[in-house]
């Protein structure tokens, strides 16, 4: 997905993990996923650059669909769809 | 060889594979230094997010980091007292394995960690407990260093065991590490 397409997505849940370092964002996402129904979308904000590599692999293992990410002013925004 | 026999053999092999490894990681935590303990705890807590079960086996120098600085144990002999005094009392007292520079390096790293929002070792241990990370402490190390269960941290999933338990855990784990 392009950045424009990602920005047009209406998320069901925002997980703001800015200000935490590894493995903070991963733990935050894992904790929050339970609040979503299948097919709903999570938006993740992270200031940790490793997150955009970690979360796709986490999705891969858990079966969720990773939609993509973009970076603006040092903040990474990631999107995933719950399986 | 008839087909039935072949199927039975295959079934036995599959059964063995299925019960062979679980989605589990076991880590031998041997080193008692801040950097190495941090690495072990970050991997352990991260693994829980991946739904991987975690078994930590604390042995030798690492056991000192699990002491509670506020707790005391009585009835120690001279050697145990000496060991107790010379080893760091708990996770807040451990030093870096490199560039400690008389404690200056460790202090600098700790202030950097705070600035960069990296959780302290103490906080990591609390998180690990909440996430269900199992800690097994080597009974022999406790005995050698003269540590007693009453001076160890309050941790929800803490056991004392021997190498047999570690080997049984490692045998079931997909990933094994020694730190």
């Amino acid at each position: 997905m392009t950045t424009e397409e990602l920005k047009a997505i209406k998320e069901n849940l925002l997980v703001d993990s800015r200000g935490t370092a590894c493995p903070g964002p991963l733990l935050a996402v894992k904790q929050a996923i339970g609040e979503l129904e299948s097919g709903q979308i999570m938006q993740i904000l992270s200031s940790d650059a490793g997150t955009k590599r970690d979360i796709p692999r986490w999705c891969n293992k858990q079966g969720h669909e990773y939609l993509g990410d973009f970076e603006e002013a040092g903040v990474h925004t990631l999107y995933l769809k719950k399986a | 060889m008839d087909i039935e026999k072949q199927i039975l053999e295959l079934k036995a092999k599959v059964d063995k594979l299925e019960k062979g490894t679980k989605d589990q990681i076991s880590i031998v935590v041997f080193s008692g230094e801040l950097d190495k303990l941090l690495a072990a705890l970050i991997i352990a807590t991260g693994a829980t997010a991946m739904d991987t079960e975690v078994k930590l086996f604390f042995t030798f120098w690492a056991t000192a980091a699990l002491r509670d600085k506020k707790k005391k144990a009585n009835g120690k002999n001279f050697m145990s007292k000496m060991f107790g005094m010379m080893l760091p009392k708990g996770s807040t007292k451990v030093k870096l394995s490199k560039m400690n520079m008389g404690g200056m390096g460790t202090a600098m790293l700790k202030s950097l960690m705070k600035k960069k929002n990296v959780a302290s070792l103490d906080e990591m241990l609390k998180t690990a407990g909440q996430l269900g990370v199992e800690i097994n402490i080597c009974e022999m190390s406790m005995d050698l260093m003269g540590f007693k269960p009453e001076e160890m941290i309050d941790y929800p999933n803490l056991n004392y065991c021997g190498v047999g338990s570690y080997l049984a855990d490692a045998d079931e784990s997909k990933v094994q590490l020694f730190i």
Side-chain angles (χ1 to χ4, degrees), chain A residues 47-83:
Chain A
S47 47
D48 178 67
T51 311
K52 68 174 193 287
R53 288 202 171 271
D54 282 9
I55 301 296
R57 305 204 61 184
W58 179 81
C59 285
N60 194 31
K61 188 180 176 195
Q62 307 281 352
H64 308 305
E65 189 187 344
Y66 188 70
L67 302 175
D69 56 77
F70 60 86
E71 186 196 341
E72 260 172 10
V75 176
H76 300 269
T77 308
L78 298 78
Y79 293 88
L80 66 85
K81 190 193 257 180
K82 186 175 177 176

Side-chain angles (χ1 to χ4, degrees), chain B residues 72-145:
Chain B
K72 264 197 174 136
N74 297 317
K76 288 193 182 189
N77 62 25
F78 176 71
M79 286 291 275
S80 296
K81 275 183 191 155
M82 289 296 284
F83 254 102
M85 266 166 55
M86 270 150 46
L87 288 168
K89 183 138 193 190
S91 60
T92 56
K93 302 278 191 231
V94 293
K95 303 282 179 222
L96 278 177
S97 67
K98 283 193 170 67
M99 306 199 326
N100 182 39
M101 300 179 291
M104 244 166 56
T106 300
M108 268 155 74
L109 181 88
K110 280 186 176 173
S111 83
L112 257 178
M113 280 167 64
K114 212 169 216 171
K115 205 171 132 199
K116 305 236 177 212
N117 294 308
V118 177
S120 71
L121 189 55
D122 205 34
E123 289 162 349
M124 299 276 327
L125 274 168
K126 283 200 184 83
T127 309
Q130 285 160 3
L131 293 170
V133 169
E134 189 178 308
I135 292 186
N136 297 306
I137 307 180
C138 168
E139 179 66 52
M140 195 187 75
S141 297
M142 292 282 290
D143 191 40
L144 269 177
M145 306 199 178

Side-chain angles (χ1 to χ4, degrees), chain B residues 10-29:
Chain B
L10 216 66
K11 193 178 172 298
K13 277 186 187 168
V14 170
D15 282 351
K16 204 178 162 192
L17 274 177
E18 276 178 349
K19 89 175 164 278
T21 52
K22 294 195 276 191
D23 191 359
Q24 179 175 288
I25 175 171
S26 58
I27 307 178
V28 178
V29 191

Side-chain angles (χ1 to χ4, degrees), chain B residues 41 54 56 66 68 71 122-137 152-160:
Chain B
L41 264 300
V54 190
L56 301 181
L66 294 180
D68 190 323
K71 289 188 191 170
D122 205 34
E123 289 162 349
M124 299 276 327
L125 274 168
K126 283 200 184 83
T127 309
Q130 285 160 3
L131 293 170
V133 169
E134 189 178 308
I135 292 186
N136 297 306
I137 307 180
M152 307 311 271
I153 55 167
D154 294 318
Y155 189 89
N157 208 347
L158 189 87
N159 310 289
Y160 300 93

Side-chain angles (χ1 to χ4, degrees), chain A residues 19-34:
Chain A
T20 67
C22 179
L26 187 61
L27 294 174
V29 170
K30 157 80 177 155
Q31 200 180 18
I33 196 82

